[in-house]
């Protein structure tokens, strides 16, 4: 065995030992976050893929007609899907990370959210069909022969971008060199301030999820940050890991779980029907069928997402060893 081979084996074993030693302290290491890669190109790839999948997702409400090669009329979503706005938030967070100054990132995120809120406040009302977001989508999609939905995405794209940039600040807190309890206090303070601001604004501005009003946005961001702070205390400070693996699984692979439910929901239901044939009868009647189907569907979803995470972790290990 040459000295080069020996050095390679020693390096590989060292990496494996470090990975195994870190196994219990990786709760926030998402399987898709490949070590040693630049986050911006990685996010660009996911941004483009999510936009394309969102356009041609057959399970979504169509807004624009599309003529196939055979001449039949089908349809697709030009830009009217939650997956696409999630992609915008991820991309904005990645680009925001290029700004080294966190006050500048904070100001940019707040400016995007505030700008959208001003448009909603001055250009229409907060009714279902009279809000500015809905008016804009009706105007745009009607020219394409399509229609708008209650959930509005064009104007609120700026809100999603702002939320993504602000979310990157929470990631900075967790990755900082501060003490664990300082990280918790920073997250808790930010969450409380956001909640109070959202609740205060809701006195004048209703909390509407369909158009992401500013009161709704700050309340949800605040509650999410408080939940993140609480989970950080439980899993990283108190080291309570037993029984939290489902939370960790869906926290690391939330987008995979969302896509499985939304794009492969019919396939899941078909498998569930096959797996539960006769089970309700054994339990005492068809009355138990919805309960049995729900339990099996959740178990199947957990298995699919767990398998996805294992595949991604295997890729992470291969890249780390190389």
């Amino acid at each position: 065995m040459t000295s080069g081979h020996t050095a390679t084996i020693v390096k590989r074993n060292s990496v494996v030992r470090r990975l195994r030693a870190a196994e219990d302290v990786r709760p926030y290491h998402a399987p898709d976050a490949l070590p040693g890669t630049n986050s911006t190109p990685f996010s660009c790839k996911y941004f483009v893929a999510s936009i394309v999948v969102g356009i041609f997702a057959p399970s979504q409400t169509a807004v624009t007609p599309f003529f196939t090669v055979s001449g039949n009329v089908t349809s697709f979503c030009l830009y009217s899907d939650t997956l696409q706005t999630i992609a915008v938030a991820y991309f904005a967070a990645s680009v925001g990370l290029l700004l080294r100054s966190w006050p500048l990132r904070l100001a940019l995120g707040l400016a995007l959210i505030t700008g959208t809120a001003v448009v909603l406040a001055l250009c229409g009302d907060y009714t279902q069909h009279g809000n500015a977001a809905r008016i804009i989508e009706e105007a745009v999609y009607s020219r394409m022969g399509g229609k708008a939905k209650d959930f509005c995405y064009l104007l609120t794209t700026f809100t999603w971008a702002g939320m993504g940039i602000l979310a990157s600040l929470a990631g900075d807190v967790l990755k900082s060199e501060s003490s664990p309890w300082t990280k918790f206090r920073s997250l808790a303070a930010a969450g409380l301030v956001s909640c109070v601001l959202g609740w205060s604004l809701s006195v004048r501005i209703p909390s509407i999820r369909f158009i992401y009003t500013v009161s709704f946005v700050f309340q949800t961001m605040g509650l999410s940050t408080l939940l993140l702070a609480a989970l950080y205390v439980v899993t990283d400070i108190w080291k309570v890991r037993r029984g939290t693996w489902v939370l960790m699984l869906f926290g690391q692979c939330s987008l995979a779980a969302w896509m499985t439910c939304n794009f492969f929901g019919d396939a899941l239901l078909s498998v569930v029907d096959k797996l539960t044939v006769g089970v309700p009868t054994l339990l005492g009647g068809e009355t138990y069928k919805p309960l049995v189907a729900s339990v099996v569907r959740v178990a199947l979803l957990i298995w699919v997402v767990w398998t996805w995470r294992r595949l991604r972790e295997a890729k992470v290990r291969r890249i780390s060893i190389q």
Side-chain angles (χ1 to χ4, degrees), residues 302-320:
I302 291 174
W303 178 78
V304 170
V305 177
W306 177 81
T307 302
W308 166 258
R309 187 178 69 172
R310 295 292 294 177
L311 292 174
R312 298 300 297 173
E313 286 179 338
K315 184 176 181 180
V316 169
R317 284 188 169 85
R318 287 198 301 272
I319 293 178
S320 299

Side-chain angles (χ1 to χ4, degrees), residues 269 272-274 276-297:
L269 292 177
V272 168
D273 288 340
K274 299 294 184 182
T276 58
V277 172
V279 175
T281 304
L282 293 176
L283 295 176
E286 291 298 313
T287 307
Y288 295 95
K289 185 174 181 178
L291 175 61
V292 173
S294 298
V295 172
V296 175
R297 185 171 183 267

Side-chain angles (χ1 to χ4, degrees), residues 4-311:
H5 287 293
T6 303
T8 301
I9 293 175
V10 170
K11 178 181 178 182
R12 181 178 300 160
N13 291 338
S14 176
V15 171
V16 171
R17 282 195 300 269
R18 289 200 304 270
L19 286 171
R20 288 175 177 173
E23 193 71 29
D24 290 334
V25 291
R26 296 186 308 110
Y28 293 106
H29 179 77
D32 285 341
L34 305 183
T37 59
N38 189 310
S39 63
T40 302
F42 184 77
S43 296
C44 288
K45 179 184 71 173
Y46 269 69
F47 172 75
V48 173
S50 299
I51 292 294
V52 173
V53 171
I55 288 176
F56 295 101
S59 62
Q60 306 301 312
T61 303
V63 295
T64 305
F66 176 71
F67 293 89
T68 62
V69 176
S70 62
N72 297 323
V73 179
T74 182
S75 54
F76 68 95
C77 297
L78 179 64
Y79 183 77
S80 188
D81 182 78
T82 303
L83 178 63
Q84 295 167 322
T85 49
I86 292 174
V88 168
Y90 280 2
F91 182 74
S94 178
V95 174
L97 290 174
L98 299 177
L99 302 175
R100 297 293 184 181
S101 172
W102 72 263
L104 184 58
R105 261 193 290 163
L106 177 63
L108 179 58
L110 292 176
L112 289 169
I113 295 173
T114 303
T116 307
V118 171
V119 174
L120 287 173
L122 299 180
C123 305
D125 51 36
Y126 295 105
T127 60
Q128 181 178 4
H129 297 282
N131 64 80
R134 181 64 178 262
I135 293 172
I136 291 173
E137 298 210 357
E138 291 285 3
V140 172
Y141 289 131
S142 63
R143 294 180 178 274
M144 302 178 182
K147 58 182 181 179
K149 302 188 297 185
D150 287 336
F151 271 104
C152 298
Y153 298 94
L154 294 179
L155 179 61
T156 55
T157 291
F158 299 99
T159 300
W160 279 83
M163 289 192 293
I165 292 173
L166 294 181
S168 69
L169 294 175
D172 283 352
V173 171
L174 291 175
K175 292 183 295 183
S176 69
E177 299 297 328
S178 302
S179 66
W181 284 109
T182 300
K183 295 178 183 180
F184 164 73
R185 285 191 290 269
S186 299
L187 291 174
L192 286 174
V193 169
S194 184
C195 282
V196 170
L197 181 59
W199 290 329
S200 301
L201 290 171
S202 65
V203 175
R204 300 294 301 272
I205 302 173
S207 298
I208 304 175
R209 179 189 175 200
F210 294 102
I211 58 176
Y212 288 89
T213 58
V214 65
S215 56
F216 173 82
V217 168
F218 279 114
Q219 288 182 63
T220 52
M221 284 198 306
L223 293 173
S224 299
T225 306
L226 289 175
L227 180 59
L228 176 62
L231 290 175
Y232 176 73
V233 170
V234 172
T235 60
D236 277 41
I237 297 180
W238 293 344
K239 302 296 183 181
V240 178
R241 307 290 173 81
R242 191 178 301 276
T244 63
W245 69 273
V246 173
L247 292 176
M248 297 297 179
L249 175 66
F250 285 100
Q252 292 176 333
C253 309
S254 55
L255 189 57
W258 186 90
M259 292 185 67
T260 300
C261 291
N262 283 269
F263 298 137
F264 305 103
D266 292 340
L268 278 178
L269 292 177
S270 179
V271 174
V272 168
D273 288 340
K274 299 294 184 182
L275 293 176
T276 58
V277 172
V279 175
T281 304
L282 293 176
L283 295 176
E286 291 298 313
T287 307
Y288 295 95
K289 185 174 181 178
L291 175 61
V292 173
S294 298
V295 172
V296 175
R297 185 171 183 267
V298 171
L300 189 61
L301 174 63
I302 291 174
W303 178 78
V304 170
V305 177
W306 177 81
T307 302
W308 166 258
R309 187 178 69 172
R310 295 292 294 177
L311 292 174

